[in-house]
Amino acid sequence: MTAFAPTVGVSTTHPMDMPADHAALPVWNAENWFYEDWPAGQKIRSLRRTISESDSHLFNMLVTDIHPYVQDQMFAESDGIFGKRLIAGAFVFSAGLGLVATNCVNAFSYGYDKLRFIKPVFLNDTIYTIRTNLDKRPRYKELGLIRASYEVFKNEGELVLYCEHLQTVKYNNPADFIGKTEK
């Protein structure tokens, strides 16, 4: 079995605007993995989250999504093709990715590819996400590029969303990648 990177970083940030003994403590859920620590093929699964009506409504108001499929119960039941209200796809995307998000201080989002809304998600559905590190390659002098898939499932394993996340991640030892980068 392949050993994977730890879930808590070996080092941490040390903010100057708090007591020194507090700043010296490792930050919970703040990984500091480097490019070299992200193995292709590694999978993680999130906890589950049930999406309530209030979650959906707050998101819709925040992004001004007042489409009848997500905001109008009477429309959804009488004229909608699903017979009930949907959770906005943008919220499923955001919540699904948030479930497996890390606070890695060395990783930066580069973008998303292949985003697909495969099945609808409804009020009170429960979602979870599986992230798979697909591949990686040296890209810049200080940063490599990692591509991971995110599969969001609802209830008992029905795939509802797929996308690929591109991240740039700092090298632990940039000298190891001299002459190997694309840019």
Side-chain angles (χ1 to χ4, degrees):
M1 175 173 227
T2 305
F4 293 117
T7 58
V8 177
V10 176
S11 65
T12 187
T13 61
H14 300 282
M16 302 303 287
D17 57 352
M18 65 173 54
D21 59 333
H22 295 181
L25 294 171
V27 178
W28 169 255
N29 198 27
E31 299 83 10
N32 57 335
W33 303 318
F34 290 93
Y35 175 83
E36 296 88 336
D37 299 325
W38 296 66
Q42 179 186 32
K43 290 182 179 248
I44 59 170
R45 178 190 48 84
S46 73
L47 296 170
R48 295 179 294 189
R49 176 181 185 200
T50 301
I51 302 177
S52 70
E53 181 168 4
S54 61
D55 293 333
S56 177
H57 181 70
L58 287 170
F59 180 85
N60 295 341
M61 291 299 97
L62 181 66
V63 300
T64 321
D65 183 350
I66 56 172
H67 192 283
Y69 273 106
V70 299
Q71 285 295 105
D72 185 337
Q73 185 70 29
M74 293 173 68
F75 169 85
E77 288 177 354
S78 63
D79 296 322
I81 63 171
F82 301 109
K84 54 186 171 178
R85 284 176 39 210
L86 297 170
I87 302 297
F91 184 43
V92 175
F93 172 74
S94 297
L97 273 60
L99 286 170
V100 291
T102 66
N103 295 314
C104 183
V105 296
N106 297 319
F108 312 92
S109 188
Y110 190 75
Y112 296 90
D113 287 340
K114 301 180 182 178
L115 174 59
R116 297 293 180 269
F117 301 104
I118 298 165
K119 298 258 176 111
V121 176
F122 303 105
L123 294 175
N124 298 312
D125 277 347
T126 299
I127 64 169
Y128 64 94
T129 303
I130 295 176
R131 174 193 162 115
T132 304
N133 293 340
L134 298 174
D135 55 47
K136 62 184 189 176
R137 66 182 193 270
R139 175 89 170 149
Y140 301 103
K141 179 181 174 184
E142 301 287 328
L143 303 164
L145 190 65
I146 293 173
R147 186 172 61 97
S149 68
Y150 290 79
E151 296 170 294
V152 180
F153 297 88
K154 74 176 184 179
N155 303 328
E156 296 179 2
E158 186 175 3
L159 183 64
V160 298
L161 183 144
Y162 177 88
C163 73
E164 293 178 4
H165 186 192
L166 303 173
Q167 291 178 283
T168 52
V169 183
K170 287 172 53 175
Y171 303 124
N172 187 32
N173 188 4
D176 291 345
F177 298 95
I178 292 173
K180 299 176 184 176
T181 63
E182 296 174 23
K183 297 184 181 223

